[in-house]
Structures are given as structure tokens and as C-alpha cells.
Amino acid sequence: MHTRRTHRRTRIGRTRTGATLLAAALLATACSAGGASTSAGSAAAEAAGSTEAAKATLAALPQATPSALAPYYGQKLSWRDCGVPGFQCATMKAPLDYAKPTGGDVRLAVARKKATGPGKRLGSLLVNPGGPGGSAIGYLQQYAGIGYPEEVRAQYDMVAVDPRGVARSEPIECLDGREMDAYTRTDVTPDDEGEASELVDAYQKFAEGCGADAPKLLRHVSTVEAARDMDVLRAVLGDEKLTYVGASYGTFLGATYAGLFPDRAGRLVLDGAMDPSLPARRLNMEQTAGFETAFQSFAKDCVRQPDCPLGDQGATPDQVGKNLKAFFDDLDAKPIPTGDADGRKLTESLATTGVIAAMYDEGAWQQLRESLTSAMKENDGAGLLVLSDSYYEREADGGYSNLMFANAAVNCLDLPAAFSSPDEVREALPDFEKASPVFGEGLAWSSLNCAYWPVKPTGEPHRIEAAGATPIVVVGTTRDPATPYRWAEALADQLSSGRLLTYEGDGHTAYGRGSTCIDSAINTYLLRGIAPEDGKRCS
């Protein structure tokens, strides 16, 4: 699944399920469990305890740090200039396999911006933007380290670590730029057996590329392992407890940390929350419904605007959806020009990804209307291609970040695949299309990619209670497309100290998006340790 974090000051973000159409498997964020004397994978299985994995609870690790991990917890970071004014960078070592700490290291990139003062320093504030696969360092340098409230940055060292396999931390690479261009154009609404076979071939080539690039690391990029890395970083930074703001998939990472280390969980903000108790197919189904909810909201707004190409003021959201689907069908039959330097045309899959990208932030709706108008009325697909490229993090030179590669790697390790064959997808299509007449078919087929992954999953669905942790703030947005509001309710209910904070509005995540009520509640929690009342609602 794909749960990408977005912010008006950053590019459109991703989520964690199959929602990026060809890119991610599910769940979108993933689930695992861990134990002290076992690997993350076997620990997850043990934590499940039964075939009813969703009823299992993530078990806390022993409070005492194993002696074999002492060299990692006791390491000293050598900070250096990052090349970005005000930021410092370092490299931290973590064991590749926590069950075998002497079996080799993984090198993790860390960055910080020291507290600006004045006032009492409160320690380190770790941030993660989601994905999985989003660069936390990129998010820190481009937004959090300069855009978080001044009073927060004054009292906290702002810190980020790119999770293992992501961005600067031994990034997994699967396809080159030209191969990714072909991959992103692959038809994810196959009309016949031949097109279904082409889609399967694309998934297999993607998986084989990942396996060839990082055969060892690919087995050790689970969310549990990334959470354990965060605890090493906490200790290395000299903090008694972890203070953390995680968005989208970052909420699953933060909740996993709390579940493993409830005694070390400090002020945790989980914004745009995921429900770790759901299996991949249900996660993808619910995210599909989430995108439909967001699209209905967009459709209602679109027809009120004079430049809506999908219908006039009398058009219902369902009619708007049918018009958009008809446009996608036309592209499926005949892609349109984009003026792209590499000769790419706008296909159905690229156009759908562009529309989905705009669902993450209502601030992108105008751009989407303009792009659809150009494509539908002027036969110019450039605008939608720009939106799609921003989602895939395609650069101007034709290269791609490793976000999509890491996204699949984490998702396919964290949860068993949503589907194991094209026939299973076909059986589920009616349910997905009911969840979203516009996006359901494509998102169902996109959920097939983990079926061909070269590494077996190590995680299972499970609850996270984090018994004994101090209050944890879980934030949900009522019309969030990528992490449906119900997930925030579910996570807050699972966590023994969860406090649900609700934003009644559109878009993915809520902190820093314009609600004074939300921002004030979170800032008060981070600065004074006073959590909002459970059930507080903001608009």
C-alpha cells in the first residue's frame, strides 16, 4: 500500500498501499512484530501466535539492551556539514539482522538541525514523512527543519534518519530510468489475457531487479527493523525517550516503535494514521474507498468552478466520475501527446496516477482541473504527466528516486501479498469497483505486485497496544484519501494511551496544513507534554 505524506511546501507525496498504481504492494504501509532473541520475521510470526493474525498484539522487547547490541547503542556520531546551510549530517551503523548482530552492518544516513533557542532544549525531535520509502532527510531539510513552528524548532534538535534501503541509507534500486518509464506506462486495467500477462511480466521484472540489486538487504527492510534502528539513534543522540512526528506510513513506524519500546516512547504524534491490524487486501480495499471519498469531494468542488472539464454545476459526483472514467478509457485506446523530451505519451495509467496524486492535497485541485482541461479539450497531456512524475519522483533528467523501490520492498516484507494470482484479482474486482467506480479496477490490479516478490514476507497483521506508554496523539482527517479516517480511529483505540485528534476536512494528514486548532494542540503536546483530550475535533 502506498501512504505518501504530502505538504504544500513539498512535492506531492505517496502512501503505503497499492495506490500508486504500479508501484506499491500493500500495505501501504506494513506490519511486523519483533522479539529480542529472534529475527524480525520469526518474531512477527511468534507474536501472531495464531492464524488469526489480526488479533495478535505486537509484543514489547525486553527493557534491557542485549549485550550484543552494545557497540551499536554506544557508538559516537561524527557530524559534518551537509552542504545545506544550518544542517549537519552523520552516518550511523545498525545491525543488518538484529537476530545476528555480528553478521554485518547497514549504514544509515542521519541529519539534524540543532535547536535555535532561546529557552530550554527539550532534546531531539525525530521526523518521518511516510512512504514507505520517503526520504526523512529530504523532508527535514526541505520542510520540517525550516517550516515547523519556530517555537518547536527553538527547543528541539530537528532530526531525521533515512530508513534502511531508502534514499541515502543504502538505497535499493530495481530499474533504471528507461525501465521505470516503461513500468509506469504499463496498463493496470488489462482488457484481456494478453494485457494481464504483460502486467504480470512488469511486476516480475521489477521484483527481479530489486532482488538482483540487494539480495541481503531486501530481507531486512521491515518496519520492525526500522523501528529498532530508531531506538539505536535515540540512544546515540542521548535522549532517554523518543520524541517523534510521523506522517502517513510514518505513523505505522512510530506505533511500531511504541509497541516494541513502550517505556522509551515519549511524545509521539502519528498524523494520517494507519491500522496495523488489517491484512493487505482489506487495507488496499479501504484505501481505494478513501480515494473515492476524496474524489467525491473534488468532484463537488470541481463542478462549482467555471473551468471544470468534467461537468457543469448540475453534474453529480457520480456523473463526474463517469466522465473521468470515459476519459481514461479513451486514453487506454489512444494515448495523447505530452511534448515530453523523451517522447512519452499520456497513457491511462499515467493519467490515473496524476489524478490520484492530486487527491492528496486539495491545494492541487486547481492544477488538476487545468491539467484535465488541457488533456480533454486540447489533446495536451503535459499537465497530467507533470502530476504523475511528481508522484513517482521522476527527475528532469529521466532518473527516479528510489522511493518506489523502497516502497515495494517494505510493503512486500511487512505483509503477505494481497493477491497471489490474476484470477484472485478478477474475483475481487466487483468489490474494488464498488469501493471506487473510478479507481477500483486499477488499484485492485496494482495490489498484485507483491505476489512475485523474491523475498517471503516476515510480518503479519497485528494490533499495537504499547501498554505503559505515555499518551500518544493519533491524528485523523475525515476525508483523507490515503489513510482513511477509520484507520486513525482504529489505531487510537488499539493504543492503550492513544488520544484521537480529528481534523474535519480534506487532504492527507493535518499538521501544518492550515488548521490553527490542530497545530495548537500538537504544539502544546510537543512543547509542554500536554496531550489533547481524546476525541478532540478541529476544522
Side-chain angles (χ1 to χ4, degrees):
M1 154 185 174
H2 215 79
T3 61
R4 173 167 206 191
R5 162 70 158 134
T6 68
H7 199 285
R8 289 194 174 98
R9 297 187 60 168
T10 64
R11 287 185 296 182
I12 289 173
R14 207 160 279 77
T15 83
R16 186 191 172 168
T17 69
T20 180
L21 273 332
L22 264 167
L26 181 311
L27 131 172
T29 228
C31 305
S32 324
S37 61
T38 62
S39 69
S42 59
E46 290 176 9
S50 73
T51 56
E52 296 179 340
K55 295 182 180 179
T57 299
L58 180 64
L61 292 170
Q63 292 188 18
T65 300
S67 59
L69 296 179
Y72 295 102
Y73 275 79
Q75 66 186 294
K76 303 296 182 182
L77 297 184
S78 178
W79 294 100
R80 61 187 182 278
D81 181 73
C82 279
V84 179
F87 293 89
Q88 297 175 307
C89 289
T91 300
M92 185 186 84
K93 292 182 179 180
L96 176 65
D97 184 349
Y98 276 92
K100 301 175 182 177
T102 60
D105 300 333
V106 59
R107 298 170 66 83
L108 305 177
V110 182
R112 74 177 179 186
K113 185 176 184 184
K114 300 195 74 172
T116 58
K120 178 183 177 182
R121 180 182 174 279
L122 295 175
S124 305
L125 172 57
L126 191 66
V127 296
N128 183 282
S135 172
I137 291 178
Y139 177 70
L140 175 73
Q141 294 177 344
Q142 296 167 22
Y143 174 66
I146 56 177
Y148 266 34
E150 183 178 358
E151 58 269 32
V152 173
R153 292 182 286 115
Q155 294 186 253
Y156 283 103
D157 289 348
M158 301 293 296
V159 180
V161 55
D162 280 345
R164 47 178 66 200
V166 174
R168 299 164 178 82
S169 294
E170 300 192 17
I172 293 168
E173 302 290 342
C174 305
L175 302 175
D176 64 25
R178 288 188 178 275
E179 291 170 332
M180 271 298 287
D181 280 347
Y183 181 75
T184 59
R185 292 195 300 267
T186 305
D187 188 353
V188 290
T189 58
D191 299 319
D192 52 40
E193 288 291 343
E195 290 187 351
S197 294
E198 290 176 3
L199 180 58
V200 168
D201 288 344
Y203 287 143
Q204 290 176 330
K205 182 177 180 180
F206 185 98
E208 290 167 1
C210 297
D213 177 74
K216 292 184 179 179
L217 182 59
L218 213 61
R219 292 173 168 79
H220 297 286
V221 292
S222 70
T223 297
V224 161
E225 288 160 313
R228 297 191 70 169
D229 294 341
M230 292 201 306
D231 193 57
V232 174
L233 178 59
R234 172 203 58 78
V236 169
L237 293 172
D239 293 317
E240 181 179 347
K241 293 192 174 186
L242 180 75
T243 303
Y244 173 84
V245 175
S248 196
Y249 161 77
T251 67
F252 177 59
L253 183 58
T256 298
Y257 181 90
L260 295 174
F261 307 103
D263 58 309
R264 301 173 194 169
R267 301 170 188 179
L268 306 186
V269 177
L270 310 179
D271 183 13
M274 299 195 49
D275 180 357
S277 72
L278 301 180
R281 188 179 303 189
R282 183 171 168 187
L283 278 166
N284 282 342
M285 178 82 74
E286 293 193 5
Q287 191 182 60
T288 297
F291 277 101
E292 182 65 23
T293 296
F295 176 75
Q296 294 268 324
S297 186
F298 162 76
K300 292 175 183 177
D301 178 78
C302 186
V303 298
R304 291 196 291 264
Q305 310 302 325
D307 61 344
C308 181
L310 296 171
D312 56 26
Q313 284 194 337
T316 66
D318 287 345
Q319 290 172 328
V320 171
K322 289 178 181 178
N323 292 338
L324 180 61
K325 192 67 168 62
F327 168 62
F328 289 158
D329 290 341
D330 290 341
L331 290 176
D332 189 29
K334 186 179 180 180
I336 64 175
T338 64
D340 177 63
D342 294 316
R344 293 179 299 155
K345 290 187 175 182
L346 184 71
T347 62
E348 177 191 17
S349 56
L350 289 172
T352 305
T353 300
V355 173
I356 282 177
M359 293 300 99
Y360 282 85
D361 185 352
E362 69 274 22
W365 289 357
Q366 179 179 346
Q367 181 183 358
L368 176 59
R369 293 196 309 273
E370 294 171 352
S371 298
L372 285 168
T373 297
S374 294
M376 298 174 70
K377 298 185 178 182
E378 301 167 17
N379 206 46
D380 179 3
L384 285 173
L385 185 64
V386 167
L387 283 168
S388 178
D389 283 351
S390 71
Y391 189 87
Y392 285 120
E393 294 197 352
R394 185 186 192 272
E395 305 298 341
D397 63 1
Y400 288 75
S401 78
N402 94 309
L403 187 150
M404 287 298 170
F405 311 138
N407 184 275
V410 176
N411 286 334
C412 295
L413 196 61
D414 272 355
L415 280 182
F419 300 109
S420 62
S421 70
D423 285 342
E424 287 190 2
V425 177
R426 294 186 183 99
E427 291 175 4
L429 278 176
D431 290 335
F432 273 79
E433 291 176 320
K434 181 178 180 181
S436 176
V438 177
F439 305 119
E441 182 182 8
L443 294 182
W445 281 103
S446 296
S447 304
L448 180 62
N449 69 325
C450 281
Y452 309 101
W453 203 244
V455 176
K456 292 183 179 180
T458 58
E460 292 285 349
H462 56 263
R463 294 171 54 83
I464 299 178
E465 296 179 359
T470 56
I472 297 172
V473 176
V474 179
V475 188
T477 297
T478 54
R479 293 185 295 278
D480 190 315
T483 51
Y485 178 66
R486 194 206 67 74
W487 291 359
E489 293 179 304
L491 181 60
D493 183 64
Q494 290 172 42
L495 291 167
S496 61
S497 59
R499 302 283 184 91
L500 179 63
L501 175 61
T502 298
Y503 174 57
E504 297 177 348
D506 297 293
H508 183 38
T509 73
Y511 185 44
R513 288 174 52 84
S515 169
T516 301
C517 175
I518 290 288
D519 292 354
S520 176
I522 292 175
N523 294 340
T524 297
Y525 174 60
L526 291 174
L527 295 171
R528 299 169 57 194
I530 301 174
E533 180 182 355
D534 186 34
K536 180 179 177 63
R537 303 183 74 88
C538 297
S539 59

